[in-house]
Structures are given as structure tokens and as C-alpha cells.
Amino acid sequence: MDLGSMNGTWVNRAKITPFKEVPLYPGDVVCMAEPSIAFEVAVVTTNTNNATVSGTGIGNSATEDTSSSAVNEVTSGRVGSSDAPSPNSSSSSVAPVWGPAVSAALRAAAALEAEAASRGVFAPLEALCSVNVGGKARSLLAAGDYQAAYMLLLGSVMAAPGDATLWAQLAGMERQRARRQEQGSSYGTTRAFLRAAAERFESLPDPASRRAGLSRVFSSWAQLEYDMRNDGPARILFQKAVRISRSHPAGAGASGTAKHLFTWASREWKLGDAPLAARLCKEALEIEPVNPYALTLLGNIEASAGQIKVARDYFKKAVDTGDRNFVSGLQSWARMEAQDGNIKIARTLFRRALKVQPENAFVLQAWGVAEGRSGKIEAARALFNKCIQVDPKCRAAWHAWGKLEEEAEDLEKARELYKKALGLKAKSVETLSALGRLERTAGNFDLAMKYLETALEADAKHAPSLQEMALLLRTQGGADADAYRLEKRAKFVNSDRRAMLTQVKRPGYGAAAAKKAVAATLSLPPSKSTPRPPQN
């Protein structure tokens, strides 16, 4: 509880309301006043067998962002293997003694079970049977029964704490609950479940199963840290995932290394690091030369850098060589052609994608945007309307339709559509910024200020919001210094992104250079056969 402090208290980077009790779970990160100083909630367990627990922490890496409030411990050694015998051990007279990570996760799971029970929700009896629990949970998810799947996994880990796969599945569902801000959920609890999964995978005797499991856990954990904007620790976790998968007995191609590299690349692309994202994609393509996901992402990066011909080649290879029915590749290719003024080619590609998946909301939304930009307003409206009918929760469609109406100067309709989008994601920076722009145009300056302040609170580096706030201040008058400061910051953000994209165009940006750059990123020595990249 925060007792009305001047500087506030944060739990998992969310400021808590003064004088209101907030439950804490193992793995939660608490910060008081100074953002660079944080504390992680942990359960201290007593090891009755006096077994030793070894391991290295994230803080041992020279590349860690030490100012981050992320978890400072990652199980990468033989954590828990000595003090956590399998429940199927031949020694039936001695009860299993779980490692510290599993012990903490069990306490968190018990707390969640108790919270659910207080609402009359209980784990099904089949959770006591460990036969194909993961498959049953997936079937429930496919049927749309999310709560039943979650309670099944929650009850199963309590019944079989030694099952690493169940901890990993439960962590994935807990992460989704935390993103939706469901009651009792938290990113800290997700972290505790991932740590338990890593501890149990580390204890597996089979090297192939151990490395495959650990690499998946660290990849999932990295994505969790990216969700919390702990970029430094997230990169370190991806490094661990890639290193471990590369050491798989069956080789990198059989252990999901290319998938880890692509997932990492996608995150870096969203963060704006185009060179690193492209290098990671090229490293993935050395393992799987026709991976359609990596090829498509490379096409998107090259298109953003203005390399249309290069991008087109990547999209063509993704679709024609990787998978002719790869809808995501067709959509990205169509979007690029529309932006380059080739609307007829774009329409052909959009139709080709919809022939494979007639009700793909993402394709319908992208096609609507393309038609709107080409001046076909009614066609765009029809596509957006169809998209909403297919998927009423497609936030991108509501937002794009709102922008279309705003540009058509129907501010009332645009406001209605933007608010629909905001209802699906209250902290959508893009939609908050758009509403700020719309209200400024309508002369509602106070409301515009409120939207823009909320947008910048969520993302202080969002250039459109910075520019719009500067324009709003100038419109109101008397705040030229503040407006100039905001414009300068927006200019810096845009120039930084342009500089990143410029690096994509540099000579020597081929597979050999990419391999060496990624090896440096992973702190791995490059292969002796790797030729030197051309010098600029």
C-alpha cells in the first residue's frame, strides 16, 4: 500500500492508487520514487536437504540494461537439478523437494486458485490426471473456453509440479491474462511460472529435450520483458534462447533457432532497430533459406527503407518459394505496391490473399486503407465494414476507418469510430494521438490536451503525438518554448528512425556481414569461414 507518498509507488511499472491495498505475487517488481531502483518480490524457501543451487543471473552480462526494473535472475545453469527429484523417481519413500523457482511458482498458483475459488471457479477434476493435459487445454482454447483451459492448467501444475511443459503453457496463458488486465493476473506471476518452467527443463536428463525446452522458455520470457519495455533483459534472454537452440544435438535447424531469430527480429523491428532486425532475419534464412516469415519481414524492412525492388524480390520469394498460400506475405506485398502507386497490382494481390482466406480481417483492413489512399472512399468504407462484420474486435479496422472519415471531414463519425478502437485498447497511443488531433481541429483544446498527454504518458517517443502537442500549444499561444522543445524531440525521433533505415541500404549489407553482426550481438565468435564484409 502506498501511504500517500509524494513520489508515488509502482508495481510492474503501473502506478498504484494511494491508500489502496494491492496484492503482490512472486516475481512482481516494486519501485518507490526512483525508477532506477526497484525490488522484486520473492519467496524465500528453506532447502531441507541442504542442496546447492547454482546459476547465473542476467546481471552477469555486459550488455544488460542495469537501469531496468526487470528480473535480475535467469536460470541458465543446472538450477534445481540437485534438489528437485522427479515425482516419478524410484525413491517413493522420500517426497520430492522442489527447487526455489518451483516452490515460489506453487505459492503463486495456490494464491490464484484461492482467488478463483472465492469467485466460485474451480479447477476441473481431470486436472488431477496428468495424461495429455496440454492437449486438453489446447482443445478448450480452440473451442473458445479460455477460463476452463486456464483452470485446467492451474490445477494440473498443483498436482504435477515437476512437469516443465505445463508450467510453460500456464505462463503463456498468464501472460495473456496480464495483457488483458484480468483480475488476479500479473506479469510478475508470469515471470514466476517461466522461471519454474526453466528450472524443471534444466533438470531433464535428455540433452535434446532439455535444450529445446529451455530455448522455448527463454524466448517466451524475452517476449514478456519486451511487453514490459525491459528491452535490455529481453535481448539477453533471446541471446540465451538462440545459444541453447544452436547447441541442440540435432542441429539449429531442428531446434527452432530460425523461429527464435525471427521472433527477436520482429520485436526489434517494432522498436525501430531496422538494421538489427534485418540481420537477425538473414541469420534465420541461413538456417531456413525459404522461411516465409523472415522473408516477409525483410521485405517490409526494405520497403520502409525505399528499396522497392529488393523488397519485391523478398515478397515474391516468400510467396512463390516459401508458401504460395502465405497470406501474410501477399498482404505485405500488396500494401507495398499500393503505397508505391501500383494500385492495380495491389488489388490483384489482395484478391489472391482473400481467395485463400476470404474472411481474413487483416487483409480486408489493409485493402481498405489502400483504396482510401487511392481516393476510392466508398470502396474503402465497404471493405472496412466487411472487416468489422468478420471481426468486430479488429482495432486496426476501426482506427483506419476513423482516419478515413476524419480526412473526409466527417469529424463526428471519425470520433465515433476512434472511440470504438479505443474501447478495444484503452492505451492505444496511435488512437489517442488521432483523437487529440481531431479534437484540436474541432476546437476542443482541453480534450485534445487530455488525449495527447495520455498518449505521451504511454509512449514518450511517439513522434506524431509530440508534433501534435507542439501544434496544440502554438494554437493556444503563450507556450512557444515548450512547443519548440516538443518539435525538437519529435525531429530527433524521426531522424533516428531514418538513420536506422539508412543503414539498411549500406554496401556490405549481405549475408556474410549479417552473420558477423549477429555473432557480435550474441557475443559468439564468427565462423572462420566467414569472409570479411566490404569496408565502407
Side-chain angles (χ1 to χ4, degrees), residues 414-475:
R415 184 183 289 110
E416 177 190 340
L417 293 165
Y418 280 142
K419 286 185 177 180
K420 288 277 190 180
L422 203 61
L424 294 169
K425 186 178 179 182
K427 294 292 185 179
S428 171
V429 177
E430 184 183 30
T431 304
L432 287 165
S433 182
L435 277 166
R437 181 183 63 238
L438 183 148
E439 297 300 349
R440 178 189 58 78
T441 304
N444 302 321
F445 298 147
D446 289 342
L447 189 54
M449 180 68 73
K450 179 182 177 182
Y451 282 128
L452 293 170
E453 284 177 344
T454 306
L456 290 172
E457 183 180 329
D459 184 359
K461 294 183 178 180
H462 188 242
S465 296
L466 290 167
Q467 292 167 334
E468 191 58 41
M469 179 70 88
L471 187 56
L472 177 61
L473 291 174
R474 291 194 186 282
T475 303

Short mmCIF file of all heavy atoms in Angstrom, two decimals, residues 414-475:
data_model
loop_
_atom_site.label_atom_id
_atom_site.label_comp_id
_atom_site.label_asym_id
_atom_site.label_seq_id
_atom_site.Cartn_x
_atom_site.Cartn_y
_atom_site.Cartn_z
N ALA A 414 -15.87 10.17 -37.42
CA ALA A 414 -14.50 9.79 -37.11
C ALA A 414 -14.33 9.61 -35.60
O ALA A 414 -13.70 8.65 -35.15
CB ALA A 414 -13.53 10.84 -37.63
N ARG A 415 -14.89 10.55 -34.83
CA ARG A 415 -14.79 10.46 -33.37
C ARG A 415 -15.42 9.16 -32.86
O ARG A 415 -14.87 8.47 -31.99
CB ARG A 415 -15.46 11.67 -32.74
CG ARG A 415 -15.33 11.73 -31.21
CD ARG A 415 -16.09 12.90 -30.63
NE ARG A 415 -15.46 14.19 -30.94
CZ ARG A 415 -15.96 15.10 -31.75
NH1 ARG A 415 -17.13 14.86 -32.37
NH2 ARG A 415 -15.34 16.24 -31.97
N GLU A 416 -16.58 8.83 -33.40
CA GLU A 416 -17.29 7.61 -33.00
C GLU A 416 -16.44 6.37 -33.29
O GLU A 416 -16.33 5.46 -32.45
CB GLU A 416 -18.61 7.53 -33.76
CG GLU A 416 -19.41 6.26 -33.49
CD GLU A 416 -20.59 6.12 -34.43
OE1 GLU A 416 -21.03 7.15 -35.03
OE2 GLU A 416 -21.08 4.99 -34.59
N LEU A 417 -15.82 6.34 -34.46
CA LEU A 417 -15.02 5.18 -34.85
C LEU A 417 -13.73 5.09 -34.03
O LEU A 417 -13.32 3.99 -33.62
CB LEU A 417 -14.69 5.26 -36.35
CG LEU A 417 -15.90 5.11 -37.27
CD1 LEU A 417 -15.57 5.57 -38.69
CD2 LEU A 417 -16.38 3.66 -37.28
N TYR A 418 -13.08 6.22 -33.80
CA TYR A 418 -11.88 6.23 -32.97
C TYR A 418 -12.18 5.72 -31.56
O TYR A 418 -11.39 4.98 -30.95
CB TYR A 418 -11.29 7.63 -32.88
CG TYR A 418 -10.46 8.05 -34.08
CD1 TYR A 418 -10.52 9.37 -34.56
CD2 TYR A 418 -9.63 7.16 -34.73
CE1 TYR A 418 -9.77 9.78 -35.64
CE2 TYR A 418 -8.87 7.56 -35.83
CZ TYR A 418 -8.95 8.87 -36.28
OH TYR A 418 -8.19 9.27 -37.35
N LYS A 419 -13.32 6.11 -31.03
CA LYS A 419 -13.68 5.68 -29.67
C LYS A 419 -13.97 4.18 -29.63
O LYS A 419 -13.75 3.53 -28.60
CB LYS A 419 -14.87 6.49 -29.16
CG LYS A 419 -14.50 7.92 -28.78
CD LYS A 419 -15.65 8.69 -28.16
CE LYS A 419 -15.20 10.08 -27.72
NZ LYS A 419 -16.30 10.86 -27.11
N LYS A 420 -14.48 3.64 -30.74
CA LYS A 420 -14.65 2.19 -30.83
C LYS A 420 -13.29 1.50 -30.72
O LYS A 420 -13.13 0.49 -30.01
CB LYS A 420 -15.32 1.82 -32.15
CG LYS A 420 -16.79 2.17 -32.25
CD LYS A 420 -17.65 1.10 -31.61
CE LYS A 420 -19.12 1.32 -31.93
NZ LYS A 420 -19.98 0.29 -31.30
N ALA A 421 -12.31 2.05 -31.43
CA ALA A 421 -10.96 1.48 -31.39
C ALA A 421 -10.37 1.61 -29.99
O ALA A 421 -9.74 0.68 -29.48
CB ALA A 421 -10.07 2.19 -32.41
N LEU A 422 -10.60 2.76 -29.36
CA LEU A 422 -10.06 2.99 -28.02
C LEU A 422 -10.72 2.07 -26.99
O LEU A 422 -10.08 1.67 -26.01
CB LEU A 422 -10.26 4.45 -27.62
CG LEU A 422 -9.33 5.01 -26.54
CD1 LEU A 422 -7.89 4.95 -27.00
CD2 LEU A 422 -9.71 6.44 -26.22
N GLY A 423 -11.96 1.71 -27.24
CA GLY A 423 -12.64 0.78 -26.35
C GLY A 423 -12.03 -0.60 -26.36
O GLY A 423 -12.14 -1.36 -25.39
N LEU A 424 -11.37 -0.95 -27.47
CA LEU A 424 -10.73 -2.25 -27.59
C LEU A 424 -9.33 -2.25 -26.99
O LEU A 424 -8.80 -3.29 -26.60
CB LEU A 424 -10.65 -2.68 -29.06
CG LEU A 424 -12.01 -2.95 -29.72
CD1 LEU A 424 -11.86 -3.10 -31.22
CD2 LEU A 424 -12.66 -4.20 -29.12
N LYS A 425 -8.71 -1.06 -26.92
CA LYS A 425 -7.39 -0.93 -26.30
C LYS A 425 -7.27 0.49 -25.76
O LYS A 425 -6.96 1.43 -26.49
CB LYS A 425 -6.27 -1.22 -27.30
CG LYS A 425 -4.89 -1.23 -26.67
CD LYS A 425 -3.81 -1.56 -27.68
CE LYS A 425 -2.42 -1.53 -27.04
NZ LYS A 425 -1.35 -1.81 -28.03
N ALA A 426 -7.49 0.62 -24.46
CA ALA A 426 -7.57 1.95 -23.84
C ALA A 426 -6.27 2.74 -23.94
O ALA A 426 -6.30 3.97 -23.95
CB ALA A 426 -7.99 1.82 -22.37
N LYS A 427 -5.14 2.05 -24.01
CA LYS A 427 -3.84 2.74 -24.05
C LYS A 427 -3.23 2.76 -25.45
O LYS A 427 -2.01 2.86 -25.61
CB LYS A 427 -2.87 2.05 -23.09
CG LYS A 427 -3.25 2.19 -21.61
CD LYS A 427 -3.13 3.62 -21.12
CE LYS A 427 -3.41 3.72 -19.63
NZ LYS A 427 -3.27 5.10 -19.13
N SER A 428 -4.07 2.67 -26.48
CA SER A 428 -3.57 2.71 -27.86
C SER A 428 -3.02 4.11 -28.16
O SER A 428 -3.78 5.08 -28.29
CB SER A 428 -4.68 2.37 -28.85
OG SER A 428 -4.27 2.61 -30.17
N VAL A 429 -1.71 4.21 -28.27
CA VAL A 429 -1.07 5.51 -28.48
C VAL A 429 -1.51 6.11 -29.82
O VAL A 429 -1.79 7.31 -29.91
CB VAL A 429 0.47 5.36 -28.44
CG1 VAL A 429 1.15 6.68 -28.75
CG2 VAL A 429 0.91 4.85 -27.08
N GLU A 430 -1.61 5.27 -30.83
CA GLU A 430 -1.98 5.74 -32.16
C GLU A 430 -3.38 6.36 -32.15
O GLU A 430 -3.60 7.46 -32.70
CB GLU A 430 -1.93 4.59 -33.16
CG GLU A 430 -2.20 4.98 -34.59
CD GLU A 430 -2.20 3.78 -35.53
OE1 GLU A 430 -2.57 2.68 -35.06
OE2 GLU A 430 -1.83 3.93 -36.71
N THR A 431 -4.33 5.69 -31.49
CA THR A 431 -5.71 6.20 -31.46
C THR A 431 -5.84 7.42 -30.55
O THR A 431 -6.56 8.37 -30.88
CB THR A 431 -6.67 5.09 -31.00
OG1 THR A 431 -6.52 3.95 -31.86
CG2 THR A 431 -8.10 5.56 -31.05
N LEU A 432 -5.15 7.42 -29.42
CA LEU A 432 -5.17 8.59 -28.53
C LEU A 432 -4.63 9.81 -29.25
O LEU A 432 -5.18 10.92 -29.15
CB LEU A 432 -4.34 8.31 -27.28
CG LEU A 432 -4.95 7.34 -26.26
CD1 LEU A 432 -3.90 6.86 -25.28
CD2 LEU A 432 -6.11 8.01 -25.51
N SER A 433 -3.55 9.61 -30.01
CA SER A 433 -2.95 10.72 -30.76
C SER A 433 -3.92 11.22 -31.83
O SER A 433 -4.07 12.44 -32.04
CB SER A 433 -1.65 10.26 -31.41
OG SER A 433 -1.02 11.32 -32.11
N ALA A 434 -4.60 10.28 -32.50
CA ALA A 434 -5.57 10.67 -33.54
C ALA A 434 -6.74 11.45 -32.95
O ALA A 434 -7.20 12.45 -33.53
CB ALA A 434 -6.08 9.42 -34.25
N LEU A 435 -7.21 11.02 -31.78
CA LEU A 435 -8.30 11.75 -31.13
C LEU A 435 -7.84 13.14 -30.68
O LEU A 435 -8.60 14.11 -30.75
CB LEU A 435 -8.80 10.95 -29.92
CG LEU A 435 -9.82 9.85 -30.24
CD1 LEU A 435 -10.00 8.92 -29.06
CD2 LEU A 435 -11.17 10.45 -30.65
N GLY A 436 -6.59 13.25 -30.25
CA GLY A 436 -6.03 14.55 -29.91
C GLY A 436 -6.02 15.49 -31.10
O GLY A 436 -6.37 16.67 -31.00
N ARG A 437 -5.62 14.94 -32.25
CA ARG A 437 -5.59 15.73 -33.48
C ARG A 437 -7.00 16.15 -33.89
O ARG A 437 -7.24 17.32 -34.25
CB ARG A 437 -4.95 14.90 -34.60
CG ARG A 437 -4.85 15.61 -35.94
CD ARG A 437 -4.26 14.70 -37.00
NE ARG A 437 -5.10 13.54 -37.26
CZ ARG A 437 -4.69 12.27 -37.12
NH1 ARG A 437 -3.46 12.00 -36.73
NH2 ARG A 437 -5.52 11.27 -37.38
N LEU A 438 -7.94 15.21 -33.80
CA LEU A 438 -9.33 15.50 -34.18
C LEU A 438 -9.93 16.59 -33.29
O LEU A 438 -10.56 17.53 -33.79
CB LEU A 438 -10.15 14.22 -34.10
CG LEU A 438 -11.62 14.29 -34.55
CD1 LEU A 438 -12.05 12.95 -35.15
CD2 LEU A 438 -12.54 14.62 -33.37
N GLU A 439 -9.73 16.47 -31.98
CA GLU A 439 -10.31 17.46 -31.06
C GLU A 439 -9.65 18.83 -31.21
O GLU A 439 -10.32 19.86 -31.04
CB GLU A 439 -10.19 16.95 -29.62
CG GLU A 439 -10.96 15.66 -29.32
CD GLU A 439 -12.45 15.77 -29.57
OE1 GLU A 439 -12.96 16.89 -29.77
OE2 GLU A 439 -13.13 14.71 -29.58
N ARG A 440 -8.39 18.85 -31.54
CA ARG A 440 -7.74 20.15 -31.81
C ARG A 440 -8.37 20.80 -33.03
O ARG A 440 -8.67 22.00 -33.04
CB ARG A 440 -6.23 19.97 -32.03
CG ARG A 440 -5.51 21.28 -32.35
CD ARG A 440 -4.08 21.05 -32.77
NE ARG A 440 -3.96 20.20 -33.94
CZ ARG A 440 -4.17 20.59 -35.19
NH1 ARG A 440 -4.55 21.84 -35.45
NH2 ARG A 440 -4.02 19.74 -36.19
N THR A 441 -8.60 19.99 -34.08
CA THR A 441 -9.24 20.51 -35.29
C THR A 441 -10.65 21.02 -35.00
O THR A 441 -11.08 22.04 -35.55
CB THR A 441 -9.30 19.39 -36.36
OG1 THR A 441 -7.99 18.89 -36.60
CG2 THR A 441 -9.89 19.92 -37.66
N ALA A 442 -11.34 20.33 -34.08
CA ALA A 442 -12.70 20.72 -33.72
C ALA A 442 -12.73 21.89 -32.74
O ALA A 442 -13.82 22.39 -32.42
CB ALA A 442 -13.45 19.53 -33.13
N GLY A 443 -11.57 22.29 -32.25
CA GLY A 443 -11.50 23.41 -31.31
C GLY A 443 -11.68 23.03 -29.86
O GLY A 443 -11.77 23.92 -28.99
N ASN A 444 -11.70 21.73 -29.56
CA ASN A 444 -11.84 21.26 -28.18
C ASN A 444 -10.44 21.08 -27.58
O ASN A 444 -9.94 19.96 -27.43
CB ASN A 444 -12.62 19.95 -28.13
CG ASN A 444 -14.00 20.08 -28.76
OD1 ASN A 444 -14.67 21.10 -28.59
ND2 ASN A 444 -14.42 19.07 -29.49
N PHE A 445 -9.79 22.19 -27.25
CA PHE A 445 -8.38 22.16 -26.87
C PHE A 445 -8.12 21.40 -25.57
O PHE A 445 -7.12 20.68 -25.47
CB PHE A 445 -7.83 23.58 -26.77
CG PHE A 445 -7.87 24.34 -28.07
CD1 PHE A 445 -8.07 25.72 -28.09
CD2 PHE A 445 -7.73 23.68 -29.28
CE1 PHE A 445 -8.11 26.40 -29.29
CE2 PHE A 445 -7.77 24.36 -30.48
CZ PHE A 445 -7.96 25.74 -30.49
N ASP A 446 -8.98 21.55 -24.59
CA ASP A 446 -8.77 20.86 -23.31
C ASP A 446 -8.84 19.34 -23.49
O ASP A 446 -8.03 18.60 -22.93
CB ASP A 446 -9.80 21.31 -22.28
CG ASP A 446 -9.56 22.75 -21.81
OD1 ASP A 446 -8.44 23.25 -22.03
OD2 ASP A 446 -10.50 23.35 -21.23
N LEU A 447 -9.82 18.90 -24.27
CA LEU A 447 -9.97 17.47 -24.52
C LEU A 447 -8.80 16.94 -25.36
O LEU A 447 -8.29 15.84 -25.12
CB LEU A 447 -11.30 17.20 -25.23
CG LEU A 447 -11.72 15.73 -25.38
CD1 LEU A 447 -11.73 15.03 -24.03
CD2 LEU A 447 -13.09 15.65 -26.05
N ALA A 448 -8.36 17.75 -26.33
CA ALA A 448 -7.21 17.36 -27.14
C ALA A 448 -5.97 17.20 -26.26
O ALA A 448 -5.20 16.23 -26.42
CB ALA A 448 -6.96 18.41 -28.22
N MET A 449 -5.78 18.14 -25.33
CA MET A 449 -4.64 18.07 -24.42
C MET A 449 -4.69 16.79 -23.59
O MET A 449 -3.67 16.12 -23.38
CB MET A 449 -4.64 19.30 -23.51
CG MET A 449 -3.49 19.35 -22.51
SD MET A 449 -1.89 19.62 -23.31
CE MET A 449 -2.03 21.36 -23.77
N LYS A 450 -5.87 16.43 -23.12
CA LYS A 450 -6.03 15.22 -22.30
C LYS A 450 -5.63 13.97 -23.08
O LYS A 450 -4.89 13.11 -22.58
CB LYS A 450 -7.49 15.12 -21.83
CG LYS A 450 -7.77 13.89 -20.98
CD LYS A 450 -9.25 13.83 -20.59
CE LYS A 450 -9.55 12.55 -19.80
NZ LYS A 450 -10.99 12.46 -19.46
N TYR A 451 -6.11 13.86 -24.32
CA TYR A 451 -5.77 12.69 -25.14
C TYR A 451 -4.27 12.63 -25.41
O TYR A 451 -3.64 11.55 -25.32
CB TYR A 451 -6.54 12.73 -26.45
CG TYR A 451 -7.98 12.31 -26.36
CD1 TYR A 451 -9.00 13.12 -26.86
CD2 TYR A 451 -8.34 11.10 -25.77
CE1 TYR A 451 -10.34 12.74 -26.78
CE2 TYR A 451 -9.68 10.71 -25.69
CZ TYR A 451 -10.66 11.53 -26.20
OH TYR A 451 -11.97 11.14 -26.11
N LEU A 452 -3.67 13.75 -25.75
CA LEU A 452 -2.25 13.77 -26.10
C LEU A 452 -1.37 13.50 -24.89
O LEU A 452 -0.34 12.83 -25.00
CB LEU A 452 -1.88 15.10 -26.76
CG LEU A 452 -2.52 15.33 -28.13
CD1 LEU A 452 -2.30 16.76 -28.60
CD2 LEU A 452 -1.96 14.35 -29.15
N GLU A 453 -1.75 14.02 -23.74
CA GLU A 453 -0.98 13.74 -22.53
C GLU A 453 -1.02 12.25 -22.20
O GLU A 453 -0.01 11.67 -21.80
CB GLU A 453 -1.55 14.55 -21.36
CG GLU A 453 -1.16 16.03 -21.39
CD GLU A 453 -1.80 16.82 -20.25
OE1 GLU A 453 -2.76 16.29 -19.63
OE2 GLU A 453 -1.35 17.95 -19.99
N THR A 454 -2.18 11.63 -22.38
CA THR A 454 -2.30 10.19 -22.12
C THR A 454 -1.45 9.39 -23.11
O THR A 454 -0.81 8.40 -22.74
CB THR A 454 -3.77 9.75 -22.23
OG1 THR A 454 -4.57 10.55 -21.37
CG2 THR A 454 -3.93 8.29 -21.83
N ALA A 455 -1.44 9.84 -24.37
CA ALA A 455 -0.64 9.16 -25.39
C ALA A 455 0.85 9.24 -25.06
O ALA A 455 1.58 8.24 -25.13
CB ALA A 455 -0.90 9.76 -26.77
N LEU A 456 1.32 10.43 -24.67
CA LEU A 456 2.74 10.60 -24.37
C LEU A 456 3.13 9.95 -23.05
O LEU A 456 4.29 9.59 -22.86
CB LEU A 456 3.08 12.09 -24.35
CG LEU A 456 3.05 12.77 -25.73
CD1 LEU A 456 3.21 14.27 -25.61
CD2 LEU A 456 4.17 12.19 -26.61
N GLU A 457 2.17 9.79 -22.17
CA GLU A 457 2.44 9.06 -20.93
C GLU A 457 2.71 7.59 -21.24
O GLU A 457 3.54 6.94 -20.61
CB GLU A 457 1.25 9.18 -19.98
CG GLU A 457 1.46 8.52 -18.63
CD GLU A 457 0.26 8.66 -17.72
OE1 GLU A 457 -0.45 9.68 -17.82
OE2 GLU A 457 0.02 7.75 -16.91
N ALA A 458 1.99 7.07 -22.24
CA ALA A 458 2.18 5.67 -22.65
C ALA A 458 3.43 5.49 -23.49
O ALA A 458 4.08 4.46 -23.42
CB ALA A 458 0.94 5.18 -23.42
N ASP A 459 3.77 6.49 -24.32
CA ASP A 459 4.95 6.42 -25.18
C ASP A 459 5.51 7.82 -25.37
O ASP A 459 5.03 8.58 -26.21
CB ASP A 459 4.61 5.78 -26.53
CG ASP A 459 5.84 5.59 -27.41
OD1 ASP A 459 6.96 5.97 -26.97
OD2 ASP A 459 5.69 5.07 -28.54
N ALA A 460 6.53 8.14 -24.60
CA ALA A 460 7.10 9.49 -24.64
C ALA A 460 7.84 9.79 -25.93
O ALA A 460 8.18 10.95 -26.20
CB ALA A 460 8.05 9.69 -23.45
N LYS A 461 8.08 8.76 -26.76
CA LYS A 461 8.82 8.95 -28.01
C LYS A 461 7.92 8.82 -29.24
O LYS A 461 8.43 8.63 -30.35
CB LYS A 461 9.97 7.94 -28.09
CG LYS A 461 11.05 8.14 -27.04
CD LYS A 461 12.18 7.15 -27.23
CE LYS A 461 13.29 7.36 -26.21
NZ LYS A 461 14.40 6.39 -26.39
N HIS A 462 6.62 8.94 -29.05
CA HIS A 462 5.70 8.82 -30.20
C HIS A 462 5.71 10.15 -30.96
O HIS A 462 5.11 11.14 -30.51
CB HIS A 462 4.29 8.48 -29.72
CG HIS A 462 3.35 8.16 -30.83
ND1 HIS A 462 2.22 8.89 -31.09
CD2 HIS A 462 3.38 7.17 -31.76
CE1 HIS A 462 1.58 8.38 -32.12
NE2 HIS A 462 2.26 7.33 -32.55
N ALA A 463 6.39 10.17 -32.09
CA ALA A 463 6.62 11.41 -32.83
C ALA A 463 5.33 12.13 -33.23
O ALA A 463 5.23 13.36 -33.05
CB ALA A 463 7.49 11.14 -34.05
N PRO A 464 4.30 11.44 -33.77
CA PRO A 464 3.07 12.16 -34.13
C PRO A 464 2.42 12.86 -32.93
O PRO A 464 1.90 13.98 -33.07
CB PRO A 464 2.16 11.05 -34.68
CG PRO A 464 3.10 10.02 -35.19
CD PRO A 464 4.24 10.04 -34.22
N SER A 465 2.46 12.24 -31.76
CA SER A 465 1.89 12.87 -30.56
C SER A 465 2.70 14.08 -30.14
O SER A 465 2.15 15.11 -29.72
CB SER A 465 1.81 11.86 -29.42
OG SER A 465 0.94 10.79 -29.72
N LEU A 466 4.02 13.97 -30.23
CA LEU A 466 4.89 15.11 -29.90
C LEU A 466 4.61 16.29 -30.83
O LEU A 466 4.48 17.44 -30.38
CB LEU A 466 6.36 14.69 -30.01
CG LEU A 466 6.87 13.71 -28.94
CD1 LEU A 466 8.22 13.14 -29.36
CD2 LEU A 466 6.99 14.39 -27.59
N GLN A 467 4.50 16.00 -32.12
CA GLN A 467 4.24 17.07 -33.10
C GLN A 467 2.85 17.68 -32.89
O GLN A 467 2.68 18.90 -32.97
CB GLN A 467 4.36 16.49 -34.51
CG GLN A 467 5.79 16.10 -34.88
CD GLN A 467 5.86 15.27 -36.14
OE1 GLN A 467 4.91 14.58 -36.50
NE2 GLN A 467 7.00 15.32 -36.83
N GLU A 468 1.87 16.83 -32.59
CA GLU A 468 0.52 17.33 -32.39
C GLU A 468 0.41 18.17 -31.12
O GLU A 468 -0.29 19.19 -31.08
CB GLU A 468 -0.46 16.15 -32.33
CG GLU A 468 -1.91 16.53 -32.39
CD GLU A 468 -2.28 17.31 -33.64
OE1 GLU A 468 -1.78 16.95 -34.73
OE2 GLU A 468 -3.05 18.28 -33.52
N MET A 469 1.12 17.74 -30.07
CA MET A 469 1.12 18.51 -28.83
C MET A 469 1.77 19.88 -29.05
O MET A 469 1.28 20.91 -28.55
CB MET A 469 1.87 17.74 -27.74
CG MET A 469 1.96 18.48 -26.41
SD MET A 469 0.38 18.62 -25.56
CE MET A 469 0.37 17.08 -24.63
N ALA A 470 2.85 19.92 -29.82
CA ALA A 470 3.51 21.19 -30.12
C ALA A 470 2.57 22.11 -30.90
O ALA A 470 2.48 23.32 -30.61
CB ALA A 470 4.79 20.94 -30.92
N LEU A 471 1.86 21.55 -31.86
CA LEU A 471 0.92 22.34 -32.66
C LEU A 471 -0.22 22.86 -31.79
O LEU A 471 -0.67 24.00 -31.94
CB LEU A 471 0.37 21.48 -33.80
CG LEU A 471 -0.51 22.18 -34.84
CD1 LEU A 471 0.23 23.36 -35.46
CD2 LEU A 471 -0.94 21.19 -35.92
N LEU A 472 -0.69 22.03 -30.85
CA LEU A 472 -1.75 22.44 -29.95
C LEU A 472 -1.29 23.60 -29.05
O LEU A 472 -2.03 24.57 -28.85
CB LEU A 472 -2.19 21.25 -29.08
CG LEU A 472 -3.25 21.53 -28.02
CD1 LEU A 472 -4.55 22.00 -28.65
CD2 LEU A 472 -3.50 20.27 -27.18
N LEU A 473 -0.08 23.51 -28.54
CA LEU A 473 0.45 24.58 -27.69
C LEU A 473 0.57 25.88 -28.47
O LEU A 473 0.27 26.96 -27.96
CB LEU A 473 1.81 24.17 -27.10
CG LEU A 473 1.78 23.03 -26.07
CD1 LEU A 473 3.20 22.62 -25.69
CD2 LEU A 473 0.98 23.44 -24.83
N ARG A 474 1.02 25.79 -29.71
CA ARG A 474 1.16 27.00 -30.54
C ARG A 474 -0.23 27.58 -30.86
O ARG A 474 -0.40 28.80 -30.93
CB ARG A 474 1.91 26.68 -31.82
CG ARG A 474 3.39 26.36 -31.60
CD ARG A 474 4.15 26.39 -32.92
NE ARG A 474 5.52 25.95 -32.76
CZ ARG A 474 6.50 26.70 -32.26
NH1 ARG A 474 6.25 27.93 -31.86
NH2 ARG A 474 7.72 26.22 -32.17
N THR A 475 -1.21 26.70 -31.07
CA THR A 475 -2.56 27.16 -31.36
C THR A 475 -3.15 27.93 -30.17
O THR A 475 -3.82 28.95 -30.34
CB THR A 475 -3.47 25.96 -31.70
OG1 THR A 475 -2.93 25.25 -32.80
CG2 THR A 475 -4.88 26.42 -32.05
#
